[in-house]
Amino acid sequence: MPHLQIGPHTVTPPVVLAPMAGITNAPFRTLCREFAGGRGLFVCEMITTRALVERNDKTMQLIRFGPGEQPRSIQLYGVDPGTVGKAVRMIADEDLADHIDLNFGCPVPKVTRKGGGSALPYKRHLLRSILREAVGNAGDLPVTIKMRKGIDDDHLTYLDAGRIAVEEGVTAVALHGRTASQHYGGTADWEAIARLKEAVPEIPVLGNGDIWSADDAVRMMRETGCDGVVVGRGCLGRPWLFGDLVNVFAGSPERTRPTLRQVAVVMRRHAELLGEWLEDEARGVIDFRKHVAWYTKGFAIGSQARRDLAMASSLAALDELLAGLDLDQPWPAGAEGPRGRTAGAKRVVLPDNWLADPWDVTAAVTAEAESDTSGG
């Protein structure tokens, strides 16, 4: 079974759960880790550096890890080098995590319009300053980055960003094979992942985009030469995908094809874990609602049943609704394929004159870009 080396941490199989806002909280990570037998690397949802430094209550909850989570992995979003440095130093000094990832891939307008996320690597010197502060304050903790190809096809940044990352001591880079303008539409460009691997042979390169099955992960590594994969939307409503990934990298043909009854058991456990984590059963079930469509995709349960499940507000109500389904249904062919956000090409909203000069040494983002809200 191949492995991925992230600083002192050996990740076997070479699989990383992508941080997703509102999704990769402790309960979902627990499910994924259980199916994987504890193998792999599971990243918490995005934490903003300002919110962490200010010890925002929600943020401090989001960075709570379970007793079995090793290594503990945090993804940070920040645009101000000084604030990023303070947040990283806080994590290192207070032993809050074992690995830090930096987000330079978010394409949503509320982030890019302020110069953050996938817009930021266009300003090469700003990117370098942030990475220097992060690595310089991390102590022994490995720092990695996740990014996209660039803003659009006319403003690609990933090769420059990869070289800057190597020069500043970043441990590994992950590339989502789409531009910000593609958002989550179209097809991920796996050839770009191969080009990045050729450009930065000194450090591991992870590929991300359009991994919907365990076999997709192996195919990506074979076609691109990347050192590992980052799985995002492919595991929505499919936490057992990580068990499949363990199997495929071990050479086993075994894949999880649960019946609806087995899926219902996982759904119920997911909702229960959320309630325990939030210390409120109703809040947990309400938070679970967004997962219903992903778990039930492809199964013949009817639109009304899906709506009812997505309106449950207690475990008892959820149990009753699940019991009313035809639970003996086998795994359907229609359960495979894309899930989650699939929106196509969009104009990327950027700060005024952002594209004027990628090497502008005075480029900076305003304080407004330093969001005080973690988790997206």
Side-chain angles (χ1 to χ4, degrees), residues 300-330:
I301 68 172
S303 57
Q304 185 59 52
R306 282 191 173 84
R307 282 193 294 269
D308 291 342
L309 284 165
M311 292 298 291
S313 56
S314 69
L315 289 175
L318 184 62
D319 288 340
E320 183 177 353
L321 290 165
L322 290 172
L325 303 178
D326 176 11
L327 296 175
D328 292 325
Q329 292 181 58

PDB file of all heavy atoms in Angstrom, residues 300-330:
ATOM      1  N   ALA A 300     -35.017   4.553  -4.707  1.00  0.00           N
ATOM      2  CA  ALA A 300     -36.410   4.875  -5.034  1.00  0.00           C
ATOM      3  C   ALA A 300     -37.189   5.102  -3.745  1.00  0.00           C
ATOM      4  O   ALA A 300     -37.779   4.178  -3.179  1.00  0.00           O
ATOM      5  CB  ALA A 300     -37.035   3.738  -5.841  1.00  0.00           C
ATOM      6  N   ILE A 301     -37.185   6.341  -3.275  1.00  0.00           N
ATOM      7  CA  ILE A 301     -37.923   6.629  -2.044  1.00  0.00           C
ATOM      8  C   ILE A 301     -38.975   7.719  -2.254  1.00  0.00           C
ATOM      9  O   ILE A 301     -39.796   7.946  -1.362  1.00  0.00           O
ATOM     10  CB  ILE A 301     -36.980   7.034  -0.897  1.00  0.00           C
ATOM     11  CG1 ILE A 301     -36.326   8.384  -1.166  1.00  0.00           C
ATOM     12  CG2 ILE A 301     -35.933   5.968  -0.660  1.00  0.00           C
ATOM     13  CD1 ILE A 301     -35.537   8.905   0.031  1.00  0.00           C
ATOM     14  N   GLY A 302     -38.951   8.378  -3.394  1.00  0.00           N
ATOM     15  CA  GLY A 302     -39.970   9.374  -3.681  1.00  0.00           C
ATOM     16  C   GLY A 302     -39.615  10.754  -3.158  1.00  0.00           C
ATOM     17  O   GLY A 302     -38.940  10.895  -2.128  1.00  0.00           O
ATOM     18  N   SER A 303     -40.069  11.769  -3.861  1.00  0.00           N
ATOM     19  CA  SER A 303     -39.735  13.145  -3.510  1.00  0.00           C
ATOM     20  C   SER A 303     -40.334  13.564  -2.173  1.00  0.00           C
ATOM     21  O   SER A 303     -39.711  14.318  -1.413  1.00  0.00           O
ATOM     22  CB  SER A 303     -40.208  14.096  -4.618  1.00  0.00           C
ATOM     23  OG  SER A 303     -41.596  13.955  -4.834  1.00  0.00           O
ATOM     24  N   GLN A 304     -41.539  13.064  -1.864  1.00  0.00           N
ATOM     25  CA  GLN A 304     -42.162  13.451  -0.601  1.00  0.00           C
ATOM     26  C   GLN A 304     -41.391  12.899   0.589  1.00  0.00           C
ATOM     27  O   GLN A 304     -41.186  13.587   1.593  1.00  0.00           O
ATOM     28  CB  GLN A 304     -43.615  12.964  -0.549  1.00  0.00           C
ATOM     29  CG  GLN A 304     -44.384  13.416   0.690  1.00  0.00           C
ATOM     30  CD  GLN A 304     -44.448  14.933   0.805  1.00  0.00           C
ATOM     31  OE1 GLN A 304     -44.840  15.618  -0.152  1.00  0.00           O
ATOM     32  NE2 GLN A 304     -44.061  15.474   1.957  1.00  0.00           N
ATOM     33  N   ALA A 305     -40.948  11.656   0.478  1.00  0.00           N
ATOM     34  CA  ALA A 305     -40.166  11.063   1.567  1.00  0.00           C
ATOM     35  C   ALA A 305     -38.860  11.819   1.779  1.00  0.00           C
ATOM     36  O   ALA A 305     -38.431  12.035   2.918  1.00  0.00           O
ATOM     37  CB  ALA A 305     -39.889   9.594   1.274  1.00  0.00           C
ATOM     38  N   ARG A 306     -38.232  12.237   0.662  1.00  0.00           N
ATOM     39  CA  ARG A 306     -36.996  13.018   0.799  1.00  0.00           C
ATOM     40  C   ARG A 306     -37.271  14.347   1.496  1.00  0.00           C
ATOM     41  O   ARG A 306     -36.495  14.784   2.346  1.00  0.00           O
ATOM     42  CB  ARG A 306     -36.367  13.252  -0.581  1.00  0.00           C
ATOM     43  CG  ARG A 306     -35.616  12.071  -1.132  1.00  0.00           C
ATOM     44  CD  ARG A 306     -34.793  12.444  -2.370  1.00  0.00           C
ATOM     45  NE  ARG A 306     -33.956  11.329  -2.767  1.00  0.00           N
ATOM     46  CZ  ARG A 306     -34.352  10.327  -3.529  1.00  0.00           C
ATOM     47  NH1 ARG A 306     -35.599  10.307  -3.984  1.00  0.00           N
ATOM     48  NH2 ARG A 306     -33.522   9.345  -3.843  1.00  0.00           N
ATOM     49  N   ARG A 307     -38.375  14.981   1.116  1.00  0.00           N
ATOM     50  CA  ARG A 307     -38.716  16.250   1.763  1.00  0.00           C
ATOM     51  C   ARG A 307     -38.987  16.045   3.248  1.00  0.00           C
ATOM     52  O   ARG A 307     -38.555  16.840   4.090  1.00  0.00           O
ATOM     53  CB  ARG A 307     -39.928  16.885   1.080  1.00  0.00           C
ATOM     54  CG  ARG A 307     -39.609  17.578  -0.236  1.00  0.00           C
ATOM     55  CD  ARG A 307     -40.767  18.451  -0.701  1.00  0.00           C
ATOM     56  NE  ARG A 307     -41.946  17.659  -1.029  1.00  0.00           N
ATOM     57  CZ  ARG A 307     -42.204  17.184  -2.246  1.00  0.00           C
ATOM     58  NH1 ARG A 307     -41.356  17.404  -3.236  1.00  0.00           N
ATOM     59  NH2 ARG A 307     -43.289  16.474  -2.486  1.00  0.00           N
ATOM     60  N   ASP A 308     -39.705  14.985   3.583  1.00  0.00           N
ATOM     61  CA  ASP A 308     -40.017  14.720   4.987  1.00  0.00           C
ATOM     62  C   ASP A 308     -38.741  14.458   5.794  1.00  0.00           C
ATOM     63  O   ASP A 308     -38.589  14.960   6.919  1.00  0.00           O
ATOM     64  CB  ASP A 308     -40.965  13.518   5.101  1.00  0.00           C
ATOM     65  CG  ASP A 308     -42.356  13.821   4.566  1.00  0.00           C
ATOM     66  OD1 ASP A 308     -42.700  15.020   4.423  1.00  0.00           O
ATOM     67  OD2 ASP A 308     -43.099  12.853   4.277  1.00  0.00           O
ATOM     68  N   LEU A 309     -37.826  13.666   5.225  1.00  0.00           N
ATOM     69  CA  LEU A 309     -36.564  13.391   5.908  1.00  0.00           C
ATOM     70  C   LEU A 309     -35.770  14.675   6.130  1.00  0.00           C
ATOM     71  O   LEU A 309     -35.116  14.855   7.158  1.00  0.00           O
ATOM     72  CB  LEU A 309     -35.731  12.397   5.105  1.00  0.00           C
ATOM     73  CG  LEU A 309     -36.174  10.930   5.162  1.00  0.00           C
ATOM     74  CD1 LEU A 309     -35.497  10.134   4.053  1.00  0.00           C
ATOM     75  CD2 LEU A 309     -35.861  10.319   6.528  1.00  0.00           C
ATOM     76  N   ALA A 310     -35.840  15.569   5.143  1.00  0.00           N
ATOM     77  CA  ALA A 310     -35.101  16.826   5.221  1.00  0.00           C
ATOM     78  C   ALA A 310     -35.794  17.860   6.102  1.00  0.00           C
ATOM     79  O   ALA A 310     -35.317  18.993   6.216  1.00  0.00           O
ATOM     80  CB  ALA A 310     -34.890  17.397   3.819  1.00  0.00           C
ATOM     81  N   MET A 311     -36.908  17.465   6.723  1.00  0.00           N
ATOM     82  CA  MET A 311     -37.605  18.355   7.653  1.00  0.00           C
ATOM     83  C   MET A 311     -37.632  17.789   9.070  1.00  0.00           C
ATOM     84  O   MET A 311     -38.190  18.403   9.974  1.00  0.00           O
ATOM     85  CB  MET A 311     -39.039  18.595   7.175  1.00  0.00           C
ATOM     86  CG  MET A 311     -39.142  19.400   5.883  1.00  0.00           C
ATOM     87  SD  MET A 311     -38.457  21.068   6.068  1.00  0.00           S
ATOM     88  CE  MET A 311     -39.667  21.797   7.178  1.00  0.00           C
ATOM     89  N   ALA A 312     -37.028  16.625   9.274  1.00  0.00           N
ATOM     90  CA  ALA A 312     -37.032  16.004  10.607  1.00  0.00           C
ATOM     91  C   ALA A 312     -36.306  16.901  11.609  1.00  0.00           C
ATOM     92  O   ALA A 312     -35.334  17.582  11.263  1.00  0.00           O
ATOM     93  CB  ALA A 312     -36.368  14.640  10.545  1.00  0.00           C
ATOM     94  N   SER A 313     -36.774  16.887  12.841  1.00  0.00           N
ATOM     95  CA  SER A 313     -36.146  17.721  13.866  1.00  0.00           C
ATOM     96  C   SER A 313     -35.886  16.956  15.167  1.00  0.00           C
ATOM     97  O   SER A 313     -35.569  17.560  16.185  1.00  0.00           O
ATOM     98  CB  SER A 313     -37.016  18.950  14.157  1.00  0.00           C
ATOM     99  OG  SER A 313     -38.322  18.563  14.539  1.00  0.00           O
ATOM    100  N   SER A 314     -36.014  15.629  15.108  1.00  0.00           N
ATOM    101  CA  SER A 314     -35.672  14.803  16.271  1.00  0.00           C
ATOM    102  C   SER A 314     -35.240  13.433  15.780  1.00  0.00           C
ATOM    103  O   SER A 314     -35.586  13.012  14.659  1.00  0.00           O
ATOM    104  CB  SER A 314     -36.870  14.661  17.209  1.00  0.00           C
ATOM    105  OG  SER A 314     -37.876  13.862  16.611  1.00  0.00           O
ATOM    106  N   LEU A 315     -34.489  12.724  16.607  1.00  0.00           N
ATOM    107  CA  LEU A 315     -34.071  11.376  16.231  1.00  0.00           C
ATOM    108  C   LEU A 315     -35.270  10.442  16.126  1.00  0.00           C
ATOM    109  O   LEU A 315     -35.307   9.564  15.249  1.00  0.00           O
ATOM    110  CB  LEU A 315     -33.067  10.838  17.253  1.00  0.00           C
ATOM    111  CG  LEU A 315     -31.681  11.487  17.242  1.00  0.00           C
ATOM    112  CD1 LEU A 315     -30.836  10.954  18.390  1.00  0.00           C
ATOM    113  CD2 LEU A 315     -30.971  11.252  15.909  1.00  0.00           C
ATOM    114  N   ALA A 316     -36.262  10.639  16.975  1.00  0.00           N
ATOM    115  CA  ALA A 316     -37.455   9.797  16.912  1.00  0.00           C
ATOM    116  C   ALA A 316     -38.180   9.992  15.582  1.00  0.00           C
ATOM    117  O   ALA A 316     -38.616   9.019  14.952  1.00  0.00           O
ATOM    118  CB  ALA A 316     -38.392  10.125  18.077  1.00  0.00           C
ATOM    119  N   ALA A 317     -38.292  11.233  15.138  1.00  0.00           N
ATOM    120  CA  ALA A 317     -38.941  11.504  13.849  1.00  0.00           C
ATOM    121  C   ALA A 317     -38.127  10.923  12.699  1.00  0.00           C
ATOM    122  O   ALA A 317     -38.685  10.342  11.751  1.00  0.00           O
ATOM    123  CB  ALA A 317     -39.119  13.008  13.662  1.00  0.00           C
ATOM    124  N   LEU A 318     -36.807  11.056  12.794  1.00  0.00           N
ATOM    125  CA  LEU A 318     -35.943  10.495  11.760  1.00  0.00           C
ATOM    126  C   LEU A 318     -36.079   8.978  11.725  1.00  0.00           C
ATOM    127  O   LEU A 318     -36.184   8.380  10.638  1.00  0.00           O
ATOM    128  CB  LEU A 318     -34.487  10.900  12.023  1.00  0.00           C
ATOM    129  CG  LEU A 318     -33.455  10.480  10.982  1.00  0.00           C
ATOM    130  CD1 LEU A 318     -33.742  11.110   9.626  1.00  0.00           C
ATOM    131  CD2 LEU A 318     -32.046  10.847  11.452  1.00  0.00           C
ATOM    132  N   ASP A 319     -36.100   8.332  12.887  1.00  0.00           N
ATOM    133  CA  ASP A 319     -36.258   6.879  12.956  1.00  0.00           C
ATOM    134  C   ASP A 319     -37.566   6.439  12.296  1.00  0.00           C
ATOM    135  O   ASP A 319     -37.596   5.455  11.543  1.00  0.00           O
ATOM    136  CB  ASP A 319     -36.262   6.413  14.414  1.00  0.00           C
ATOM    137  CG  ASP A 319     -34.880   6.496  15.057  1.00  0.00           C
ATOM    138  OD1 ASP A 319     -33.889   6.534  14.306  1.00  0.00           O
ATOM    139  OD2 ASP A 319     -34.822   6.522  16.302  1.00  0.00           O
ATOM    140  N   GLU A 320     -38.640   7.143  12.591  1.00  0.00           N
ATOM    141  CA  GLU A 320     -39.947   6.788  12.041  1.00  0.00           C
ATOM    142  C   GLU A 320     -39.960   6.915  10.522  1.00  0.00           C
ATOM    143  O   GLU A 320     -40.483   6.043   9.819  1.00  0.00           O
ATOM    144  CB  GLU A 320     -41.027   7.673  12.654  1.00  0.00           C
ATOM    145  CG  GLU A 320     -42.438   7.335  12.200  1.00  0.00           C
ATOM    146  CD  GLU A 320     -43.501   8.183  12.872  1.00  0.00           C
ATOM    147  OE1 GLU A 320     -43.152   8.954  13.796  1.00  0.00           O
ATOM    148  OE2 GLU A 320     -44.682   8.085  12.481  1.00  0.00           O
ATOM    149  N   LEU A 321     -39.384   7.983  10.030  1.00  0.00           N
ATOM    150  CA  LEU A 321     -39.366   8.202   8.584  1.00  0.00           C
ATOM    151  C   LEU A 321     -38.500   7.165   7.877  1.00  0.00           C
ATOM    152  O   LEU A 321     -38.860   6.652   6.818  1.00  0.00           O
ATOM    153  CB  LEU A 321     -38.867   9.610   8.281  1.00  0.00           C
ATOM    154  CG  LEU A 321     -39.829  10.740   8.670  1.00  0.00           C
ATOM    155  CD1 LEU A 321     -39.108  12.077   8.669  1.00  0.00           C
ATOM    156  CD2 LEU A 321     -41.016  10.764   7.710  1.00  0.00           C
ATOM    157  N   LEU A 322     -37.355   6.853   8.446  1.00  0.00           N
ATOM    158  CA  LEU A 322     -36.475   5.846   7.838  1.00  0.00           C
ATOM    159  C   LEU A 322     -37.138   4.468   7.858  1.00  0.00           C
ATOM    160  O   LEU A 322     -37.035   3.710   6.888  1.00  0.00           O
ATOM    161  CB  LEU A 322     -35.138   5.797   8.579  1.00  0.00           C
ATOM    162  CG  LEU A 322     -34.215   7.010   8.402  1.00  0.00           C
ATOM    163  CD1 LEU A 322     -33.020   6.915   9.342  1.00  0.00           C
ATOM    164  CD2 LEU A 322     -33.740   7.134   6.952  1.00  0.00           C
ATOM    165  N   ALA A 323     -37.839   4.148   8.934  1.00  0.00           N
ATOM    166  CA  ALA A 323     -38.511   2.849   9.035  1.00  0.00           C
ATOM    167  C   ALA A 323     -39.612   2.692   8.004  1.00  0.00           C
ATOM    168  O   ALA A 323     -39.966   1.560   7.621  1.00  0.00           O
ATOM    169  CB  ALA A 323     -39.088   2.674  10.441  1.00  0.00           C
ATOM    170  N   GLY A 324     -40.146   3.813   7.526  1.00  0.00           N
ATOM    171  CA  GLY A 324     -41.218   3.759   6.535  1.00  0.00           C
ATOM    172  C   GLY A 324     -40.756   3.573   5.112  1.00  0.00           C
ATOM    173  O   GLY A 324     -41.578   3.447   4.190  1.00  0.00           O
ATOM    174  N   LEU A 325     -39.444   3.519   4.893  1.00  0.00           N
ATOM    175  CA  LEU A 325     -38.902   3.343   3.544  1.00  0.00           C
ATOM    176  C   LEU A 325     -38.802   1.856   3.191  1.00  0.00           C
ATOM    177  O   LEU A 325     -38.826   0.983   4.070  1.00  0.00           O
ATOM    178  CB  LEU A 325     -37.511   3.981   3.458  1.00  0.00           C
ATOM    179  CG  LEU A 325     -37.402   5.467   3.799  1.00  0.00           C
ATOM    180  CD1 LEU A 325     -35.945   5.916   3.712  1.00  0.00           C
ATOM    181  CD2 LEU A 325     -38.280   6.315   2.877  1.00  0.00           C
ATOM    182  N   ASP A 326     -38.685   1.580   1.918  1.00  0.00           N
ATOM    183  CA  ASP A 326     -38.427   0.215   1.453  1.00  0.00           C
ATOM    184  C   ASP A 326     -36.939  -0.058   1.653  1.00  0.00           C
ATOM    185  O   ASP A 326     -36.124   0.147   0.744  1.00  0.00           O
ATOM    186  CB  ASP A 326     -38.822   0.079  -0.018  1.00  0.00           C
ATOM    187  CG  ASP A 326     -38.496  -1.296  -0.588  1.00  0.00           C
ATOM    188  OD1 ASP A 326     -38.154  -2.197   0.214  1.00  0.00           O
ATOM    189  OD2 ASP A 326     -38.564  -1.452  -1.823  1.00  0.00           O
ATOM    190  N   LEU A 327     -36.582  -0.496   2.829  1.00  0.00           N
ATOM    191  CA  LEU A 327     -35.182  -0.592   3.231  1.00  0.00           C
ATOM    192  C   LEU A 327     -34.433  -1.762   2.613  1.00  0.00           C
ATOM    193  O   LEU A 327     -33.209  -1.852   2.742  1.00  0.00           O
ATOM    194  CB  LEU A 327     -35.091  -0.668   4.754  1.00  0.00           C
ATOM    195  CG  LEU A 327     -35.595   0.584   5.494  1.00  0.00           C
ATOM    196  CD1 LEU A 327     -35.567   0.342   7.002  1.00  0.00           C
ATOM    197  CD2 LEU A 327     -34.745   1.800   5.145  1.00  0.00           C
ATOM    198  N   ASP A 328     -35.139  -2.657   1.934  1.00  0.00           N
ATOM    199  CA  ASP A 328     -34.467  -3.805   1.334  1.00  0.00           C
ATOM    200  C   ASP A 328     -33.917  -3.515  -0.063  1.00  0.00           C
ATOM    201  O   ASP A 328     -33.393  -4.408  -0.720  1.00  0.00           O
ATOM    202  CB  ASP A 328     -35.429  -4.995   1.263  1.00  0.00           C
ATOM    203  CG  ASP A 328     -35.774  -5.531   2.646  1.00  0.00           C
ATOM    204  OD1 ASP A 328     -34.880  -5.495   3.522  1.00  0.00           O
ATOM    205  OD2 ASP A 328     -36.923  -5.949   2.861  1.00  0.00           O
ATOM    206  N   GLN A 329     -34.025  -2.277  -0.488  1.00  0.00           N
ATOM    207  CA  GLN A 329     -33.501  -1.930  -1.812  1.00  0.00           C
ATOM    208  C   GLN A 329     -31.989  -2.128  -1.868  1.00  0.00           C
ATOM    209  O   GLN A 329     -31.266  -1.694  -0.975  1.00  0.00           O
ATOM    210  CB  GLN A 329     -33.801  -0.468  -2.140  1.00  0.00           C
ATOM    211  CG  GLN A 329     -35.250  -0.131  -2.352  1.00  0.00           C
ATOM    212  CD  GLN A 329     -35.422   1.340  -2.692  1.00  0.00           C
ATOM    213  OE1 GLN A 329     -34.855   1.830  -3.674  1.00  0.00           O
ATOM    214  NE2 GLN A 329     -36.188   2.048  -1.872  1.00  0.00           N
ATOM    215  N   PRO A 330     -31.496  -2.760  -2.937  1.00  0.00           N
ATOM    216  CA  PRO A 330     -30.047  -2.902  -3.097  1.00  0.00           C
ATOM    217  C   PRO A 330     -29.438  -1.580  -3.567  1.00  0.00           C
ATOM    218  O   PRO A 330     -30.147  -0.641  -3.929  1.00  0.00           O
ATOM    219  CB  PRO A 330     -29.922  -3.973  -4.179  1.00  0.00           C
ATOM    220  CG  PRO A 330     -31.163  -3.786  -5.009  1.00  0.00           C
ATOM    221  CD  PRO A 330     -32.244  -3.401  -4.037  1.00  0.00           C
TER     222      PRO A 330
END
